[in-house]
Amino acid sequence: MNGIGGEEVMARAGAARPLEWKFAQVFGERAFGEEVQEVDIISAIEFDKTGDHLATGDRGGRVVLFNRTDTRDHGGNRRDLETADYSPSRHPEFHYKTEFQSHEPEFDYLKSLEIEEKINKIRWCQTANSALFLLSTNDKTIKFWKVQEKKVKKVCDMNVDPSKALGNGIVCSSISTSSKPCIANGGCVNRTFNYLSTGFSFPPGGIPFLHLPRVMSHETSLVARCRRIYAHAHDYHINSISNNSDGETFISADDLRINLWNLEISSQSFNIVDVKPANMEDLTEVITSAEFHPTHCNMLAYSSSKGSIRLIDLRQSALCDTHCKLFEELEAPTSRSFFTEIIASISDIKFSKDGRHILSRDYMTLKLWDINMESGPVATFQVHEHLRPKLCDLYENDSIFDKFECCLSGDGLRVATGSYSNLFRVFGCSEGSTEATTLEANKNPMRRQVQTPSRPSRPLGSLSRVGRRGTDSSGADTNGNAFDFMTKLLHLAWHPTENSLACATSNSLYMYYA
């Protein structure tokens, strides 16, 4: 055993044991054969930092919010809390909270360009006074939203019967009483008063049944209000927005530029990255994704269509044309083909929670990078290697340009991304892990589970590189069915503190836990 004790081997085996994923919930499940409207297709998913709220955006410009309802009640004394028996298999449960129309379709008359209402990205901001704040963007415009509970107030105890009141507030008949009204001193008025008649005077002691109306709060409702609109700063389509850890600024990125905004100022932004050449014929790569470092407010990373990731430091200069670190894996000249540059384009990058690693997704692979090692990724995971012989077909039907997102678990031990046929893959990246699980986005996710043999990965802190894992040479799924390139799982998000995943397929939102 090369000097390794049996207990240590068992401990490693336990640590590397793959998770068993279970179905939790589904929102917007469609029946077999049901047509899906284009505007209902989900285009963005995002958990907030606590994991208690989840937001989705769709191609119709709507943002839908869900809130967690299974959170434990922390009331009671400490002894009761310590002795309380909570099931470890209890899964997070979310309920629909509210929705609002974030963006509307627009038309740029100067450029004769139609601007879609589709939500490209959603990012949660810091909460304040029990209100929720988030940023949403389409191709051109970013909006800052505040979602808050408002009490609906109504006027009660009116002196006028609403059924007898006209629209202008005049009572259709004079107010009178059939019985003798009592007055304050205990006497009775012997005649009926017409209070709206001319020459009316109040009886001695006043009118006891005349009182002031009261304003009452009967119920609460969620109201979404657009606080600010950040517009006219991008000539090309916005592909990313990212909040800074300082809680005051954020970035927005399009194909050629990255702008820095202050949340409180919508009238101006600062251009911090500009890759536009003087002559557009010299353009060789574009920006595909950008992300702020989770803890260092002066650092951010952005990826390119050539498969490289650049780390920049805002303290170096106002315009960060030069990077402080460059992460790229060069393809061997002998293996280059027509599709090499296309499939090398990075569609999404994510920092790990501690900021030590960057996860990137290109068309064929997931790569995990250590920010202290520029020579190459510490791990490479094959997502759908069996599609490599089909690249020509994928190019002809434009599927090769699909942009898949990726995510990391809160503890940094696993990564996940989507694929075709509504499949998504989960890989373990901890020491000794061989986890490479394929699941299908339906109520029985393990139905298409595939455990593929792979070489053990090494510790993330190690500077040595690991081999490629998760290779599946089959051209069909585990049930022998041909892959459906029209059903794809592009968007998914990992709960920040638990092993829980939210995945979007068409207009349906599936949630799983392990």
Side-chain angles (χ1 to χ4, degrees):
M1 299 283 286
N2 295 330
I4 300 177
E7 294 181 2
E8 186 177 350
V9 171
M10 291 185 66
R12 286 191 180 185
R17 186 177 297 118
L19 295 176
E20 183 180 350
W21 291 92
K22 302 181 181 67
F23 169 79
Q25 290 175 275
V26 59
F27 296 95
E29 185 181 23
R30 64 185 187 277
F32 179 76
E34 179 185 351
E35 249 187 74
V36 178
Q37 299 294 324
E38 179 81 9
V39 294
D40 295 330
I41 296 176
I42 297 173
S43 56
I45 303 179
E46 184 77 6
F47 280 105
D48 73 340
K49 286 186 177 180
T50 65
D52 291 336
H53 296 93
L54 175 67
T56 65
D58 61 28
R59 295 188 182 180
R62 293 172 302 229
V63 172
V64 183
L65 304 184
F66 303 88
N67 68 304
R68 187 169 179 174
T69 57
D70 69 316
T71 51
R72 300 173 184 174
D73 183 8
H74 295 287
N77 58 45
R78 179 175 177 179
R79 184 181 298 274
D80 293 339
L81 293 175
E82 289 176 347
T83 57
D85 182 20
Y86 293 108
S87 171
S89 62
R90 188 179 184 181
H91 65 82
E93 184 176 345
F94 286 80
H95 283 185
Y96 170 86
K97 186 178 181 74
T98 188
E99 67 180 83
F100 55 91
Q101 188 71 33
S102 174
H103 288 73
E104 300 280 357
E106 301 174 43
F107 190 83
D108 188 336
Y109 292 97
L110 293 177
K111 298 181 179 179
S112 296
L113 179 68
E114 186 176 349
I115 303 172
E116 287 184 311
E117 65 269 36
K118 171 192 164 191
I119 305 297
N120 289 342
K121 295 289 180 182
I122 297 174
R123 290 292 181 265
W124 289 92
C125 302
Q126 292 181 356
T127 59
N129 300 325
S130 72
L132 302 175
F133 296 89
L134 51 88
L135 291 165
S136 63
T137 184
N138 64 352
D139 286 339
K140 294 291 183 181
T141 306
I142 306 163
K143 294 186 179 181
F144 184 45
W145 291 92
K146 178 182 181 181
V147 182
Q148 190 176 29
E149 281 191 350
K150 292 276 188 179
K151 291 185 177 180
V152 179
K153 296 182 179 180
K154 294 182 180 179
V155 180
C156 302
D157 297 339
M158 299 284 289
N159 292 289
V160 179
D161 184 357
S163 63
K164 296 181 180 181
L166 299 177
N168 58 6
I170 300 176
V171 181
C172 56
S173 63
S174 61
I175 302 175
S176 62
T177 57
S178 58
S179 60
K180 296 179 181 180
C182 296
I183 56 178
N185 60 5
C188 291
V189 181
N190 292 323
R191 65 188 178 88
T192 302
F193 294 95
N194 186 341
Y195 302 138
L196 297 183
S197 62
T198 58
F200 166 74
S201 60
F202 283 94
I207 304 174
F209 59 85
L210 186 66
H211 53 266
L212 291 174
R214 293 185 299 165
V215 178
M216 303 286 290
S217 297
H218 282 270
E219 58 186 18
T220 60
S221 66
L222 283 166
V223 178
R225 186 165 64 91
C226 184
R227 294 284 303 275
R228 286 175 189 84
I229 298 177
Y230 314 91
H232 312 300
H234 288 277
D235 293 329
Y236 305 94
H237 290 176
I238 298 172
N239 54 49
S240 303
I241 52 175
S242 179
N243 302 92
N244 198 346
S245 58
D246 62 10
E248 298 179 358
T249 57
F250 70 94
I251 56 170
S252 58
D254 63 21
D255 292 341
L256 298 178
R257 293 186 178 95
I258 299 177
N259 293 332
L260 178 67
W261 300 82
N262 188 299
L263 283 168
E264 301 297 324
I265 303 171
S266 59
S267 59
Q268 65 176 350
S269 63
F270 298 95
N271 178 229
I272 56 175
V273 175
D274 189 348
V275 299
K276 184 178 180 180
N279 186 353
M280 285 296 284
E281 293 181 359
D282 298 330
L283 183 67
T284 58
E285 61 180 335
V286 296
I287 298 169
T288 56
S289 182
E291 187 90 358
F292 256 122
H293 192 281
T295 56
H296 296 164
C297 62
N298 57 288
M299 296 181 67
L300 63 95
Y302 68 92
S303 59
S304 80
S305 57
K306 276 194 169 182
S308 61
I309 302 172
R310 290 171 172 85
L311 191 68
I312 62 175
D313 191 337
L314 299 178
R315 297 171 299 184
Q316 288 184 340
S317 63
L319 185 60
C320 302
D321 286 333
T322 58
H323 51 268
C324 59
K325 290 190 177 181
L326 174 65
F327 307 95
E328 61 181 347
E329 187 177 31
L330 299 176
E331 192 82 15
T334 54
S335 61
R336 292 184 64 85
S337 69
F338 173 78
F339 304 107
T340 299
E341 286 194 9
I342 300 176
I343 64 176
S345 178
I346 295 175
S347 57
D348 190 28
I349 60 170
K350 292 286 194 308
F351 273 100
S352 60
K353 195 173 183 179
D354 61 3
R356 173 67 185 273
H357 296 89
I358 299 174
L359 180 68
S360 67
R361 170 69 203 264
D362 57 42
Y363 188 71
M364 300 297 290
T365 66
L366 270 175
K367 292 177 181 176
L368 191 66
W369 305 80
D370 188 324
I371 64 171
N372 295 326
M373 188 179 80
E374 301 177 60
S375 59
V378 294
T380 300
F381 309 99
Q382 299 292 342
V383 179
H384 37 220
E385 185 64 19
H386 55 272
L387 296 182
R388 196 171 290 274
K390 304 177 185 293
L391 290 179
C392 188
D393 297 333
L394 294 165
Y395 178 77
E396 289 181 357
N397 63 21
D398 286 341
S399 294
I400 200 170
F401 302 106
D402 288 334
K403 300 185 182 305
F404 292 93
E405 294 181 359
C406 58
C407 59
L408 298 95
S409 60
D411 55 15
L413 299 180
R414 291 174 177 85
V415 296
T417 191
S419 182
Y420 293 103
S421 297
N422 289 342
L423 301 179
F424 62 99
R425 306 208 67 189
V426 179
F427 300 95
C429 51
S430 60
E431 180 180 1
S433 174
T434 60
E435 182 175 359
T437 308
T438 302
L439 306 110
E440 183 181 11
N442 59 30
K443 290 186 176 180
N444 184 16
M446 304 299 282
R447 181 165 66 93
R448 298 196 184 189
Q449 179 185 6
V450 177
Q451 294 295 339
T452 52
S454 56
R455 294 168 57 187
S457 62
R458 300 180 185 176
L460 295 182
S462 171
L463 296 184
S464 55
R465 295 167 56 186
V466 305
R468 299 191 170 195
R469 300 201 287 114
T471 305
D472 180 9
S473 59
S474 170
D477 62 25
T478 55
N479 293 339
N481 303 317
F483 274 91
D484 183 1
F485 300 119
M486 299 306 294
T487 58
K488 59 195 78 171
L489 199 154
L490 301 176
H491 312 285
L492 76 171
W494 202 301
H495 192 282
T497 59
E498 300 177 9
N499 285 325
S500 175
L501 277 167
C503 311
T505 63
S506 188
N507 67 325
S508 302
L509 177 66
Y510 286 90
M511 304 196 70
Y512 303 94
Y513 71 100

